[in-house]
Amino acid sequence: TQQFAQMNLQPDYVVIPSGSGSTTSGYVLGLKQLQSTTKVMGVALLDGGSSLREAVRTVGNKASSYLGLSTQIEDGDWELLDQYIGPGHGVLTPGVTEAIRMVARTEGIFLDPSYNGKAMAGIIDQIRQGQLTKQHTIVLVHSGGLPALFVNNEELAREDPQPA
């Protein structure tokens, strides 16, 4: 939040690739403790629904207790997108491929197919559906994962098919 304040920025959403839920729980707990209006949007990577919600709640509330905080995480404190899991961890989907290529070409930032590419594919789809708009300020947490790019390097480097 200090960086946001220095930039005079108040994001509506912080989007996080959510695997085990531990990183997501830290962001949810921290933002809630600071009474921030920024909402965490987790993009499920491996498993979604109730098991990921439970993991975020459990880990976050244990961390809160450990830190001596009274803040407790509840399901409504964050949003979960679990429709972008795809056929498996690190398996390229058309949406992930598009997201990786688009961000590389427009921003010079490399996303991986396991974490950040999936989260960005979720953001792009949410924009196309009108759930996220130009009025929203969105921050993607780039959580690493760069080595996974090399597993799919040939497919990602292939030229896009030319439109008919």
Side-chain angles (χ1 to χ4, degrees), residues 101 105 154-162:
R101 289 176 175 168
R105 287 182 180 140
E154 290 179 15
E155 184 173 346
L156 291 168
R158 204 173 298 135
E159 288 294 319
D160 291 333
Q162 296 301 315

Side-chain angles (χ1 to χ4, degrees), residues 82-158:
D82 60 1
Q83 64 266 45
Y84 304 106
I85 294 171
H89 187 62
V91 178
L92 283 175
T93 64
V96 171
T97 301
E98 176 192 23
I100 290 170
R101 289 176 175 168
M102 180 188 297
V103 173
R105 287 182 180 140
T106 60
E107 304 299 327
I109 297 172
F110 293 105
L111 304 176
D112 68 285
S114 301
Y115 299 94
N116 306 297
K118 228 175 237 191
M120 182 56 80
I123 292 170
I124 292 167
D125 187 57
Q126 291 292 298
I127 290 168
R128 288 181 176 151
Q129 290 183 36
Q131 300 299 315
L132 297 172
T133 68
K134 290 181 181 182
Q135 283 67 46
H136 291 112
T137 300
I138 304 161
V139 174
L140 171 66
V141 174
H142 192 306
S143 59
L146 190 60
L149 264 177
F150 301 107
V151 173
N152 304 100
N153 64 340
E154 290 179 15
E155 184 173 346
L156 291 168
R158 204 173 298 135

Side-chain angles (χ1 to χ4, degrees), residues 1-163:
T1 59
Q2 285 180 334
Q3 286 179 333
F4 295 155
Q6 289 171 350
M7 297 171 65
N8 196 28
L9 179 69
Q10 183 58 52
D12 296 293
Y13 294 97
V14 172
V15 179
I16 301 173
S18 298
S20 68
S22 58
T23 301
T24 305
S25 67
Y27 274 86
V28 174
L29 175 62
L31 290 169
K32 187 171 183 180
Q33 174 68 25
L34 294 170
Q35 298 178 345
S36 174
T37 59
T38 301
K39 188 88 166 177
V40 172
M41 182 181 289
V43 178
L45 306 174
L46 308 166
D47 191 17
S50 60
S51 60
L52 184 53
R53 287 187 189 286
E54 182 178 338
V56 169
R57 199 173 45 250
T58 300
V59 171
N61 291 336
K62 283 183 180 180
S64 179
S65 176
Y66 179 78
L67 295 169
L69 305 174
S70 61
T71 302
Q72 292 292 292
I73 294 176
E74 300 167 12
D75 286 345
D77 293 332
W78 66 294
E79 294 182 24
L80 173 63
L81 303 178
D82 60 1
Q83 64 266 45
Y84 304 106
I85 294 171
H89 187 62
V91 178
L92 283 175
T93 64
V96 171
T97 301
E98 176 192 23
I100 290 170
R101 289 176 175 168
M102 180 188 297
V103 173
R105 287 182 180 140
T106 60
E107 304 299 327
I109 297 172
F110 293 105
L111 304 176
D112 68 285
S114 301
Y115 299 94
N116 306 297
K118 228 175 237 191
M120 182 56 80
I123 292 170
I124 292 167
D125 187 57
Q126 291 292 298
I127 290 168
R128 288 181 176 151
Q129 290 183 36
Q131 300 299 315
L132 297 172
T133 68
K134 290 181 181 182
Q135 283 67 46
H136 291 112
T137 300
I138 304 161
V139 174
L140 171 66
V141 174
H142 192 306
S143 59
L146 190 60
L149 264 177
F150 301 107
V151 173
N152 304 100
N153 64 340
E154 290 179 15
E155 184 173 346
L156 291 168
R158 204 173 298 135
E159 288 294 319
D160 291 333
Q162 296 301 315

